[in-house]
Amino acid sequence: MYKTSSFVSFVFAVGMLLVLLAPGAHAQATATATIEGTVTDQTGASIAGAQVVAKSKATALTRTTSSNDSGFYRFELLPVGAYTVTATKSGFATFIANIEIMIGQTSTANIEMKPGAISEMVEVTGEAPIADQSKTDISQNITPTEVEELPLLGRDVANLAYLAPGVKAADSYDPTKNRYAIISVNGQGGRNVNVTINGVDNKDNTVGGPVMQLPLEAVQEFVISTQRFSAANGRSEGAAINMVTKSGSNSLHGSLFGFFREQQFNAIDKFASESGTKPPYERQFFGGSVGAPIIKDKLFGFFAIERQREQTSFAESPDALSELQLAAGAGLAAQPSSIIPTPFYENRYNGRIDYHFSDRETAYLSYTSQANNSENDQSNGTGDLTEGNFTKNHLQVANFTLNSVLHPTLVNSFTFGYQFWNNIIDSTAKVPLVTFTGGSSFGTNANVPQESYQRKFQFRDDITKTLNRHTLKFGVDYIYNPKLGGFFESNSTLEVDFGADPSAILADAVTYPQGFATPGAVIGMSASSGNPYFDMPGGTKQLGLFFQDDWKVTHRLSLNLGVRWDKDFNLIGASAIAGSRTFQELAAIGSPYASLPHDDDHDFSPRIGFAYDLKGNGRHVLRGGYGLYYGNVFQNIPLFMIQQANPTIYQGVFSLTAGGPGTTCTNCEVPGTGIPLSSWRYGVDPFPVIPPPLTDLVDGATGRVMDPHYRNPVSQQFNFGYQWAVSNSSVIEVDYVHELGLHENKTVNINPIVNGTRPLAADFTAAGVPVLGRVMDESSINRSRYDGLNFSYRQRMTRHFSLNTNYSLSRAMGWAVESGGKDLGSGFRNYPHDPLNPWDPRDFGPTPNDERHHITVSGVFDLPWGVQISPIVQFGSARPFDLVSGFDVLARGSGYTRPVIVPNDDPTNFTAITTSADALACLAAATCRQVGYDTMRGRNFFQMDVRFAKNIRFGETRKLQLIFQAFNLTNKTNYGNDIHNTAGTDTFLTPEGYINPGSTTIPRAFVGEFGARFTF
């Protein structure tokens, strides 16, 4: 019976597995679900040999199995959706129940059969329990109703991950992620969240996090596992999000929608109000979807498309605007504007074809594309129109999946995946960047041009065997990135730095008699050139193998026993290290750091979980577990090292400084002019001739090296909790979670200044190589820790409302971050303030995303007359921020400006010590001390988003929703921990901006949106 096409697919899957084991894979997540249960009679005795059938209501897909000697049955790899479960056995009436299964979930459908003829029907009308009795991890399913009915600011379904305990919004960590829902899970920064679409990897291997966003109309549902996911999931020491796309069915169904915002529906935010200007704003988001049978019960199609048109802008800083207007009035090339336009245009679409060869063999093909264009997303409010940019993104992900039932107890799933991503940020203006001391500037943006690209092929096979009470799973996953890299040219044009603001230059005719052309008015000039690419030579590969045993020990006790092994190839850039100039210089002096690292070989991660039904009725369940979870090395860790392996080095080819008008300087001749910078006149004398790129590093350059002992990050995860199914429709969960992060990234300067000199300088000189300044060693010695207690209550739609609430009491601790940003996870780009003491206990404190208290409440309330209200309310206690001095406190030459030094007798006087000399003197005298890491707290966070809808029905299947969505309904100004933190400045300890300042997913003020959605 199971010998034709199933045998062919089995041979194909095994053959592919053997092929993949030869070169080198990676395991991700399932896009399916499971139904299991026990068949008993009315006395509770097990019934063996009962035929159990699960039939999809949408596509009529039918799966059949039989209960074993203990009455146990299980269906694996079922597409998500609604099913009818039927059980028959001679001498018993036919049992019928309806159940809806969600992605990654094991739904329990116990069957109690009554004596009677098979022709008799016993139909269970109650809903299956919402509680997952076999769940041992910390996860939450986001249902189709929540996807469709809850308010979403940017139609990014990942925003709904905030509904899970331990999850909160985090700041964008890269310009390509500003419009994404960046989520902090258990205190981390969002990079280590692994997202899959239909089981296919959607990870950004350059900076971490997801690559693309799906059209919301194409999302069926998703599950977020915040801790302790199974061995089938890998390559994330943080969280895993598994999404599944919609499919066609035997009925014609679809949607049309449009959402519209205008300036008059938005409140003016706090900082824009200070400028007196409300920036223009309008946005249209529209699209639709359709699913239908192409051949009934056989071939199904689905397509969704969304289009966004956004005409947005932000107000220029009033001070910067005034300065640039003065500069323009004096004839400089500035183009000041009170409003900086930030238009954004995007298309997202998804298509999916499902084909049922038979009830034993199904396949589907899914393709998703996202393409957008925007302008000025690198502008910061202190530049002009010439400092703008354009950004282009093109993203694709596709999969072909073949599911085969080789035997009622043996199923196989093969998936081929493809991912492509290309992001380019550039400017049409290639002119010098001119800066002023107050922060205003004009000219080519210092962050352009840059490009990132990634092409990924994935082959994955999972096979599942049900053997008595054991469900055994084996999997292999291979990912090949033939193209991974890009380029980054910081300060790509000449930079000219004036020693005063335009207002000071124009007002002081004594010091600046020729205005901007006064000799010495320009106090700095620099330029860079060279090969800026950081392509990973030879690409990268990842291999993952796993084994999982889901063991139903008794009807009360379930065990999850798993182990996986992951192997990366070239993710640390080993193929480029030998060509890196820093590595070559360290080798020339015999440094122990001149040893080639290699990708990990021993990333074995055992995992164990249990669920114990205390009373045997599924109401009270204890659960827990422990596991190891390995993550990736993202490319921007070895990025600068890879750049130093190019034929020419992208670096500063000259950097000149002068003391201002009336002074002289030495070794400061402007290249190609013969004029010292102290005599050079802006707008009169010629610009410098940029020297050709160099093949070696220059004296004083920053060295970059990967530590010989670099390893993948790993976390130890432990959880223990209690689940109470209050009813079939509601559940209370309490969980304690613990995570210990190990082998996280820490960047240590191995050539700091000690007693006025750098320890490697003499060795470099003796070897006849350029004398490097700081040498940054990318090591994997950092640690972090998280402890949390989660309380949650969930109720599906009952008595006209559904509810999802959670509260987390937690503490996230890590080592100090010194990388220019306040909202980063301590596990990435961590810089100890004193490289001679990287484990200084004063560098250990709460991470920037630490919220001791976080509450989320969401729900859908159906009121009379077709009115529906759907709120999401979030509260977070104040997050911490660090204090910096604004100068190299310990004079190590590392470029670090923390910590703040305070007198022992005045520990809150953060501005008492203002120079490195004073700091070193009082530390030596023991009259002052260092302030610890992240000792300050910002402001509490509160946000209420509400969706108001009026439902108008046309028959049973057609519905029109008239919608108004209010984001940040209370118009709360959420500064969070975005506080001016440099001691001694006029703005010290005042709000600098808003929580998560780089992200656009949190409204700065009230935002109103009208819309309509028609479904059929």
Side-chain angles (χ1 to χ4, degrees):
M1 180 177 177
Y2 294 90
K3 292 183 179 179
T4 321
S5 60
S6 295
F7 177 76
V8 172
S9 67
F10 178 71
V11 171
F12 174 71
V14 172
M16 180 60 68
L17 185 147
L18 294 174
V19 169
L20 298 178
L21 286 177
H26 152 98
Q28 282 299 335
T30 177
T32 57
T34 300
I35 298 177
E36 70 173 23
T38 303
V39 184
T40 61
D41 61 18
Q42 288 181 301
T43 68
S46 299
I47 298 178
Q51 185 182 68
V52 185
V53 178
K55 183 175 182 179
S56 168
K57 292 184 177 181
T59 65
L61 173 69
T62 303
R63 291 271 298 277
T64 303
T65 191
S66 298
S67 58
N68 61 20
D69 291 342
S70 57
F72 182 72
Y73 76 93
R74 184 177 174 106
F75 293 105
E76 287 281 347
L77 295 177
L78 290 173
V80 297
Y83 283 79
T84 299
V85 176
T86 305
T88 57
K89 174 75 173 178
S90 178
F92 293 90
T94 297
F95 174 93
I96 301 174
N98 297 307
I99 187 171
E100 183 168 0
I101 58 176
M102 292 185 286
I103 180 174
Q105 189 177 50
T106 298
S107 295
T108 301
N110 291 324
I111 297 171
E112 181 182 297
M113 304 192 74
K114 298 181 179 180
I118 291 181
S119 58
E120 296 181 49
M121 303 289 181
V122 177
E123 184 168 0
V124 178
T125 57
E127 294 181 299
I130 188 175
D132 185 347
Q133 300 172 21
S134 301
K135 185 175 78 168
T136 68
D137 64 351
I138 307 297
S139 62
Q140 183 161 323
N141 287 85
I142 307 301
T143 67
T145 298
E146 289 171 322
V147 171
E148 290 186 358
E149 306 296 353
L150 290 175
L152 289 173
L153 183 66
R155 292 185 63 82
D156 184 352
V157 69
N159 274 300
L160 295 180
Y162 305 145
L163 305 184
V167 180
K168 61 186 73 70
D171 192 24
S172 169
Y173 45 79
D174 188 80
T176 62
K177 300 293 184 282
N178 288 351
R179 289 179 173 268
Y180 285 57
I182 304 300
I183 61 175
S184 168
V185 179
N186 298 338
Q188 291 297 316
R191 294 178 188 267
N192 58 359
V193 175
N194 204 31
V195 179
T196 59
I197 299 172
N198 296 330
V200 172
D201 187 85
N202 185 38
K203 176 181 286 183
D204 184 335
N205 286 92
T206 300
V207 299
V211 165
M212 72 177 304
Q213 300 159 302
L214 292 172
L216 186 62
E217 295 296 302
V219 178
Q220 172 73 14
E221 60 185 75
F222 73 93
V223 59
I224 175 170
S225 299
T226 60
Q227 202 213 36
R228 271 253 316 106
F229 37 85
S230 78
N233 295 283
R235 288 304 169 199
S236 173
E237 80 279 24
I241 295 179
N242 304 330
M243 295 186 182
V244 61
T245 58
K246 292 179 180 178
S247 64
S249 66
N250 273 327
S251 62
L252 176 66
H253 62 280
S255 62
L256 293 170
F257 74 90
F259 290 94
F260 308 93
R261 296 185 203 164
E262 299 291 339
Q263 182 189 41
Q264 57 268 33
F265 302 145
N266 297 348
I268 187 170
D269 71 73
K270 175 68 175 177
F271 291 98
S273 66
E274 292 177 356
S275 71
T277 303
K278 185 177 183 181
Y281 182 96
E282 65 176 49
R283 191 186 85 163
Q284 302 88 40
F285 217 140
F286 51 90
S289 67
V290 61
I294 301 173
I295 302 175
K296 187 177 181 181
D297 293 344
K298 203 76 173 175
L299 182 63
F300 310 92
F302 179 84
F303 181 77
I305 187 169
E306 298 183 359
R307 167 72 171 168
Q308 181 178 359
R309 297 187 309 209
E310 189 173 280
Q311 297 292 338
T312 57
S313 57
F314 64 85
E316 178 80 345
S317 162
D319 292 339
L321 176 63
S322 175
E323 297 293 347
L324 292 174
Q325 286 173 335
L326 291 172
L332 275 65
Q335 297 180 21
S337 175
S338 61
I339 297 296
I340 304 297
T342 54
F344 179 82
Y345 305 95
E346 180 175 78
N347 291 319
R348 305 181 200 171
Y349 63 89
N350 166 265
R352 174 167 165 164
I353 294 289
D354 288 68
Y355 186 70
H356 293 179
F357 298 97
S358 68
D359 285 339
R360 304 185 306 276
E361 204 99 53
T362 63
Y364 70 93
L365 176 68
S366 176
Y367 173 83
T368 305
S369 175
Q370 179 183 13
N372 55 58
N373 301 306
S374 60
E375 296 180 12
N376 302 327
D377 57 8
Q378 300 297 300
S379 299
N380 60 9
T382 59
D384 71 336
L385 296 178
T386 67
E387 206 172 340
N389 70 281
F390 64 84
T391 299
K392 295 183 178 180
N393 272 301
H394 189 200
L395 313 101
Q396 299 169 322
V397 66
N399 72 280
F400 169 76
T401 298
L402 176 66
N403 293 322
S404 306
V405 181
L406 309 174
H407 183 273
T409 61
L410 182 66
V411 295
N412 188 82
S413 178
F414 169 77
T415 295
F416 166 75
Y418 173 76
Q419 183 202 73
F420 170 79
W421 171 52
N422 187 85
N423 164 267
I424 186 165
I425 304 173
D426 206 344
S427 172
T428 56
K430 302 297 182 183
V431 296
L433 173 64
V434 178
T435 73
F436 300 99
T437 55
S440 59
S441 58
F442 67 90
T444 298
N445 194 295
N447 288 328
V448 303
Q450 58 178 290
E451 183 177 17
S452 297
Y453 38 72
Q454 177 174 299
R455 179 174 284 117
K456 183 180 296 186
F457 296 94
Q458 181 176 5
F459 302 89
R460 172 183 170 188
D461 195 82
D462 300 297
I463 190 164
T464 303
K465 170 67 176 177
T466 301
L467 186 64
N468 296 322
R469 290 181 174 271
H470 296 268
T471 300
L472 308 177
K473 300 179 182 179
F474 308 85
V476 57
D477 201 336
Y478 175 73
I479 287 183
Y480 174 44
N481 271 306
K483 187 176 183 181
L484 176 63
F487 69 84
F488 179 43
E489 294 185 58
S490 58
N491 294 95
S492 60
T493 62
L494 174 72
E495 180 173 329
V496 176
D497 306 315
F498 279 93
D501 284 329
S503 57
I505 293 173
L506 295 175
D508 188 354
V510 174
T511 306
Y512 302 96
Q514 288 86 45
F516 295 97
T518 301
V522 172
I523 63 169
M525 186 180 292
S526 59
S528 302
S529 67
N531 186 337
Y533 282 85
F534 51 87
D535 292 347
M536 194 71 80
T540 66
K541 302 178 181 71
Q542 296 170 273
L543 171 67
L545 306 173
F546 80 91
F547 168 74
Q548 176 90 15
D549 180 8
D550 295 331
W551 180 16
K552 193 76 172 178
V553 183
T554 68
H555 74 284
R556 289 191 179 191
L557 177 63
S558 298
L559 292 179
N560 303 135
L561 308 173
V563 64
R564 67 175 290 117
W565 175 70
D566 290 293
K567 171 63 178 175
D568 296 339
F569 299 84
N570 201 34
L571 277 184
I572 62 172
S575 60
I577 292 175
S580 167
R581 305 309 192 277
T582 301
F583 180 87
Q584 292 173 351
E585 289 202 27
L586 293 173
I589 65 173
S591 169
Y593 291 93
S595 179
L596 291 174
H598 59 84
D599 295 283
D600 285 2
D601 294 318
H602 306 293
D603 287 357
F604 288 95
S605 40
R607 301 171 189 185
I608 181 171
F610 75 91
Y612 182 71
D613 187 345
L614 293 174
K615 295 187 176 181
N617 59 7
R619 296 293 185 187
H620 303 273
V621 177
L622 290 179
R623 63 181 179 221
Y626 170 84
L628 292 180
Y629 297 81
Y630 284 91
N632 281 132
V633 176
F634 300 119
Q635 194 193 16
N636 62 348
I637 292 177
L639 182 153
F640 296 111
M641 179 275 298
I642 295 173
Q643 281 188 325
Q644 292 185 355
N646 289 328
T648 61
I649 312 301
Y650 189 80
Q651 60 185 329
V653 289
F654 72 86
S655 180
L656 310 176
T657 59
T663 65
T664 59
C665 59
T666 57
N667 299 320
C668 61
E669 184 177 296
V670 177
T673 69
I675 305 171
L677 182 61
S678 56
S679 301
W680 189 82
R681 297 166 297 172
Y682 182 85
V684 176
D685 294 323
F687 281 117
V689 176
I690 307 299
L694 303 174
T695 58
D696 289 311
L697 294 168
V698 298
D699 286 340
T702 298
R704 305 280 183 173
V705 65
M706 293 294 292
D707 193 271
H709 306 291
Y710 204 95
R711 295 188 58 186
N712 285 342
V714 62
S715 65
Q716 295 182 7
Q717 301 183 8
F718 165 82
N719 73 290
F720 181 78
Y722 165 71
Q723 174 182 280
W724 174 26
V726 181
S727 67
N728 280 355
S729 301
S730 60
V731 61
I732 293 174
E733 295 176 318
V734 182
D735 291 285
Y736 166 72
V737 297
H738 170 78
E739 289 191 19
L740 176 63
L742 303 171
H743 304 307
E744 296 174 337
N745 179 247
K746 183 186 282 284
T747 308
V748 181
N749 179 10
I750 60 174
N751 193 30
I753 295 174
V754 181
N755 298 323
T757 61
R758 295 189 184 273
L760 301 182
D763 293 332
F764 287 139
T765 301
V769 296
V771 179
L772 301 180
R774 52 188 173 179
V775 178
M776 310 306 289
D777 175 53
E778 298 292 350
S779 62
S780 54
I781 59 174
N782 202 42
R783 293 188 171 198
S784 64
R785 189 178 72 220
Y786 176 85
D787 293 277
L789 187 61
N790 300 330
F791 302 85
S792 66
Y793 173 79
R794 288 180 288 124
Q795 175 183 306
R796 66 185 168 204
M797 185 61 71
T798 306
R799 297 187 178 91
H800 307 292
F801 77 94
S802 64
L803 190 63
N804 182 2
T805 67
N806 64 70
Y807 164 70
S808 294
L809 172 66
S810 63
R811 184 177 69 167
M813 305 291 287
W815 294 87
V817 176
E818 172 70 56
S819 56
K822 290 185 280 292
D823 290 338
L824 304 171
S826 70
F828 187 83
R829 281 282 184 259
N830 173 283
Y831 297 78
H833 83 276
D834 186 358
L836 300 181
N837 186 14
W839 300 117
D840 189 326
R842 290 163 296 192
D843 278 358
F844 188 76
T847 69
N849 289 311
D850 174 56
E851 284 183 6
R852 295 300 164 86
H853 307 278
H854 190 87
I855 301 171
T856 302
V857 180
S858 68
V860 178
F861 299 86
D862 288 336
L863 304 179
W865 305 296
V867 175
Q868 185 182 79
I869 299 177
S870 308
I872 299 178
V873 180
Q874 298 181 72
F875 168 82
S877 58
R879 300 181 187 182
F881 66 93
D882 198 24
L883 299 178
V884 298
S885 297
F887 56 90
D888 187 354
V889 180
L890 302 182
R892 298 296 188 202
S894 298
Y896 309 152
T897 61
R898 69 170 309 275
V900 164
I901 308 297
V902 295
N904 291 338
D905 57 358
D906 194 3
T908 60
N909 186 353
F910 303 121
T911 60
I913 312 298
T914 58
T915 68
S916 177
D918 291 343
L920 293 173
C922 72
L923 287 171
T927 59
C928 61
R929 61 179 176 83
Q930 302 176 21
V931 174
Y933 172 57
D934 267 2
T935 56
M936 306 294 288
R937 292 274 172 173
R939 314 287 178 86
N940 291 342
F941 170 78
F942 179 82
Q943 181 175 320
M944 176 185 290
D945 302 333
V946 184
R947 189 176 197 256
F948 303 91
K950 166 63 176 176
N951 296 313
I952 304 172
R953 296 191 175 274
F954 304 92
E956 293 185 4
T957 60
R958 297 184 299 276
K959 180 176 72 173
L960 173 65
Q961 271 193 334
L962 303 178
I963 301 165
F964 177 74
Q965 297 189 123
F967 302 99
N968 194 4
L969 181 64
T970 62
N971 200 31
K972 174 79 161 55
T973 301
N974 282 305
Y975 299 118
N977 56 351
D978 192 19
I979 308 296
H980 285 284
N981 64 336
T982 302
T985 60
D986 293 338
T987 56
F988 183 51
L989 296 184
T990 63
E992 181 175 355
Y994 304 98
I995 192 170
N996 305 332
S999 175
T1000 64
T1001 59
I1002 293 181
R1004 312 309 193 198
F1006 170 83
V1007 174
E1009 180 176 81
F1010 287 91
R1013 185 171 185 265
F1014 178 70
T1015 57
F1016 58 92

